[in-house]
Amino acid sequence: WRRVLALAEAVPTPPVDVLTNTYQMLSGTLQFEGKSKEALDYADRGLAFADRQHVPADAPLRVNLLRGRAEALVGLGDPAGAEVAIRRAIAIQGKAVGGGGTRMSILQNSLGIVLNDLGRYREALQALNQSDALDGAASAAPSEAAISLTNLASVHENAGDYVAAVGLGQRALAKLDQAGLAADAPERRMIERVLART
């Protein structure tokens, strides 16, 4: 991804969709590696690039960059800033294609995580339940559905509803079993940690 950005600097008019996607992918990769500050930098650079290219403020090209910004801000301990970014992404997505689909499910899941970090558990549960419903409607991959269930379990745990949290964690593991995911898969270990903690 860094090589793509370096090559783009030598091009007078780089392709906007390719570059916004590259900034988003690099930001997401860095966030996955726990490098939230650098992830935020690339998400913001992507948004600044979109501004320079006169990409409209409500263009769907901005959605994943805003989600990347939100996830990086969560990693940096700024859930309030993350809420602003993720709600903007949801508004753009909703205006562009409506309230359904896999991408909206992912955005609602991110919102639920942010609201959980803010201690607004009831709102977090609403967002995660909506994400779960959209996942089912979009036939999400089992691992994605399991992660959504686990996020929901974490919110129930934080709210003190341990019975619901355990049930959701068990449902998440069942999804992975149905998909034949290995016993040492990272998704399975993450879910098992949540269950053990609960």
Side-chain angles (χ1 to χ4, degrees), residues 38 60 62 84 107 114 123 131 133 141 154 172 185 198:
E38 201 175 353
R62 294 180 181 269
V84 172
L107 294 171
V114 167
E123 292 174 75
S131 173
S154 292
T198 305

Side-chain angles (χ1 to χ4, degrees), residues 85-121:
I86 200 64
R87 286 196 184 277
R88 181 73 189 123
I90 288 169
I92 293 170
Q93 182 69 13
K95 183 177 179 184
V97 295
T102 302
R103 182 180 283 182
M104 186 61 86
S105 170
I106 292 167
L107 294 171
Q108 287 292 337
N109 188 68
S110 293
L111 176 62
I113 292 167
V114 167
L115 293 168
N116 180 55
D117 286 356
L118 288 167
R120 290 157 52 191
Y121 303 129

Side-chain angles (χ1 to χ4, degrees), residues 122-147:
R122 184 172 296 164
E123 292 174 75
L125 288 171
Q126 289 172 344
L128 291 169
N129 281 325
Q130 185 171 353
S131 173
D132 191 34
L134 290 169
D135 263 351
S139 301
S143 60
E144 291 174 6
I147 289 170

Side-chain angles (χ1 to χ4, degrees), residues 112 116 121-122 124-125 128 150-160:
N116 180 55
Y121 303 129
R122 184 172 296 164
L125 288 171
L128 291 169
T150 306
N151 290 337
L152 191 55
S154 292
V155 176
H156 277 284
E157 177 196 1
N158 289 339

